Amino acid sequence: MSTDTDTEARRQGRIVVVGASLAGLRAAETLRDQGFTGSLTMIGDEPYEPYDRPPLSKQALLGRARPEDTALPRRRDVDAAWRLGVAAEGLDRDAKQVRLANGDTVSYDRLLIATGTRARPWIHPEEAALDGVFVLRTRDDSACLHRKLTSGVSRVLVIGAGFTGSEVASACRELGLEVTVAERGPAPLVGALGGVIGAAADRLQRSKGVDLRCGVSVTALEGDYGGRLRRAHLSDGTAIDAEVAVISLGAVRNTEWLAGSGVAAGPRGVACDAGCRVFDVNGIVTDDIYAAGDVARSPHPLFDYQFLSLEHWGNAVEQAEIAAHNMICAGTKRIPHLWVPMFWSSQFGINIKSVGVPPLGDQLVVTQGSLTEERFVAVYGYRGRVIAAATFDGAKWLGFYQEQIAAGAPFPPEYRTVDRRTETLQPVDPDFPDPHLPTHGPTVTLSGHSPSERRVQFVPSRA
């Protein structure tokens, strides 16, 4: 049983946070808020202090905000040693040390892994190096792409119609640029929201002047003798002239630096329990290593105990705060991370939001609005209960459906609905692609089950 002495010891010593972005910063602030007085080290591979990423594909591309002005607001001084511009390269659990790319080592008593994700690069390095080929993830990426888009180019190719790719296409159209979107799936957003909602996104993009090519892949990017992008070749045998190509093929979780460490980490993320404690490769939970944010994957009782990896701003904040709390608390005072996933995107004048885990759904109904009018609420069911909802300009309903998900409300919905036009409450297949095939835009990834079969009752926070 933990004693007051054990608890006090946790408030001293050395905590190292690897990942100096949103999750890392909020964890550091929470540690100080809750009384941690020991040494705190923040390690980040970029030379910048933590900044906000969502504006990079929206306001920054449109010139309404400078990338350098996206610094995250500080809730308090974290009194930390900042090791910026140098990446973590290895972890020695026996010595309790993080090895940096410059050869230095940083010792810890407790470690938080918050390394997030990076943009998936183009598959051919020599083509990726062409002038005019971009990814969009970092502050520098956004600044470089904005300069290119406003330099007099006329035609842009976006490879991938997930959320980021669609937001980039939206920004290009707002800038008056001709844009082609190549998507290997049958519709935009299909991996995240399914084909039924994807069809609405398809109509939206075409109505805004996007040259949308679905069911095709880009097979090659061609440059001129000066190394500048000039043309893209597609799997259907056609070619597109373009001066800019934005690669939007999803994210890669930053876990390579953990290879050989004995931590359960891989392409799907770092496995941890609901208290954010990391598992080792044998499935044994550690007590000195935690994970939070986009890089973490943990089981959730609401979603069939599958491990969830969430790429979402709000999840990164809440999971980081819970991880920080649990790092310095005795076992009896630790709390679980049982956040209901939420996501939002603004594109082509429409505010798209979702709550829950749409890709888990096996049925769908439209409960408000109409798919054809691009203003609606769609509810997803899984094994007879409400599991998610997605809205186009219907965000006012999300709080209600979050409560329905948390309560395990029956599906199809039994309540009377309002503002319904052409659709009925007859469930349909949401038309998700084969989960074994890659897609461009899921923001919630289901990646297997927890060995635990215990059932718990989930009570959502009212805070």
Side-chain angles (χ1 to χ4, degrees):
M1 184 175 185
S2 297
T3 66
D4 291 340
T5 301
D6 296 329
T7 302
E8 184 59 31
R10 285 180 166 271
R11 298 184 180 275
Q12 305 300 320
R14 303 161 297 181
I15 290 182
V16 173
V17 178
V18 182
S21 193
L22 174 65
L25 176 62
R26 295 299 181 242
E29 292 170 335
T30 302
L31 286 166
R32 293 305 192 198
D33 281 342
Q34 297 197 6
F36 177 69
T37 57
S39 72
L40 181 58
T41 302
M42 307 289 293
I43 298 171
D45 61 347
E46 292 187 67
Y48 313 114
E49 293 196 3
Y51 60 87
D52 206 12
R53 296 187 189 275
L56 299 181
S57 61
K58 305 174 182 70
Q59 294 94 328
L61 282 191
L62 293 170
R64 296 171 183 167
R66 298 186 306 170
E68 58 267 33
D69 293 334
T70 58
L72 286 166
R74 299 290 185 89
R75 297 176 179 175
R76 58 161 296 151
D77 178 24
V78 298
D79 186 24
W82 293 84
R83 302 293 299 270
L84 299 176
V86 57
E89 196 173 66
L91 172 63
D92 186 334
R93 292 176 59 210
D94 292 330
K96 288 197 168 187
Q97 289 183 334
V98 175
R99 186 176 68 257
L100 304 184
N102 63 3
D104 290 349
T105 58
V106 181
S107 298
Y108 67 87
D109 296 307
R110 287 176 297 286
L111 172 69
L112 176 64
I113 299 170
T115 44
T117 64
R118 64 185 185 276
R120 189 179 300 279
W122 182 237
I123 53 176
H124 302 299
E126 67 282 2
E127 296 175 4
L130 291 171
D131 179 14
V133 178
F134 296 86
V135 295
L136 180 56
R137 173 65 182 173
T138 69
R139 188 175 120 175
D140 289 344
D141 293 338
S142 183
C144 291
L145 180 55
H146 172 69
R147 285 195 297 269
K148 190 69 172 181
L149 294 178
T150 55
S151 67
V153 301
S154 59
R155 190 168 191 86
V156 178
L157 169 66
V158 178
I159 303 176
F163 282 108
T164 299
S166 297
E167 288 172 1
V168 171
S170 175
C172 288
R173 291 300 298 141
E174 197 162 344
L175 289 170
L177 301 174
E178 295 297 316
V179 58
T180 296
V181 176
E183 165 58 51
R184 61 190 167 196
L189 312 183
V190 68
L193 301 178
V196 172
I197 307 303
D202 184 300
R203 291 191 296 271
L204 174 64
Q205 293 201 17
R206 295 183 192 277
S207 73
K208 299 298 184 180
V210 173
D211 176 17
L212 182 61
R213 312 282 187 96
C214 293
V216 298
S217 299
V218 175
T219 57
L221 298 175
E222 178 187 336
D224 62 17
Y225 288 110
R228 295 178 293 269
L229 175 69
R230 283 294 175 261
R231 188 171 294 107
H233 297 270
L234 306 185
S235 58
D236 61 1
T238 62
I240 298 170
D241 290 334
E243 299 152 278
V244 176
V246 183
I247 313 302
S248 296
L249 297 177
V252 179
R253 287 171 173 82
N254 294 318
T255 60
E256 292 87 351
W257 68 284
L258 296 167
S261 67
V263 167
R268 294 178 174 179
V270 179
C272 59
D273 69 4
C276 305
R277 297 180 302 172
V278 168
F279 289 108
D280 70 11
V281 292
N282 297 312
I284 298 174
V285 71
T286 64
D287 201 41
D288 58 349
I289 304 177
Y290 292 71
D294 293 359
V295 76
R297 53 188 289 258
S298 59
H300 198 304
L302 280 180
F303 306 109
D304 203 29
Y305 281 92
Q306 289 208 57
F307 278 79
L308 302 185
S309 302
L310 309 181
E311 298 172 32
H312 185 267
W313 199 97
N315 176 73
V317 171
E318 180 155 331
Q319 193 170 30
E321 292 172 347
I322 289 174
H325 170 87
N326 290 345
M327 290 174 85
I328 59 173
C329 286
T332 56
K333 296 181 180 179
R334 291 175 181 163
I335 55 178
H337 175 59
L338 298 177
W339 193 70
V340 177
M342 287 186 283
F343 182 80
W344 70 274
S345 174
S346 179
Q347 53 187 262
F348 302 103
I350 298 291
N351 192 4
I352 302 173
K353 292 190 175 183
S354 72
V355 62
V357 183
L360 191 59
D362 53 22
Q363 291 184 303
L364 177 145
V365 295
V366 176
T367 55
Q368 278 87 32
S370 167
L371 292 174
T372 58
E373 296 179 16
E374 296 162 359
R375 183 184 178 91
F376 60 85
V377 178
V379 179
Y380 298 78
Y382 174 68
R383 295 182 179 177
R385 64 185 179 92
V386 175
I387 201 72
T391 70
F392 276 40
D393 280 347
K396 67 180 181 180
W397 291 100
L398 279 188
F400 170 75
Y401 285 109
Q402 182 177 0
E403 293 177 354
Q404 295 289 296
I405 295 165
F411 182 93
E414 297 176 342
Y415 44 81
R416 293 177 61 86
T417 59
V418 297
D419 193 32
R420 281 179 41 239
R421 297 184 179 93
T422 60
E423 280 78 19
T424 71
L425 277 176
Q426 184 65 36
V428 298
D429 185 338
D431 195 22
F432 282 100
D434 185 331
H436 297 95
L437 299 176
T439 55
H440 290 156
T443 58
V444 182
T445 303
L446 300 165
S447 53
H449 288 82
S450 166
S452 170
E453 285 299 323
R454 290 176 297 174
R455 296 292 182 257
V456 301
Q457 180 179 4
F458 175 60
V459 180
S461 170
R462 299 291 181 181

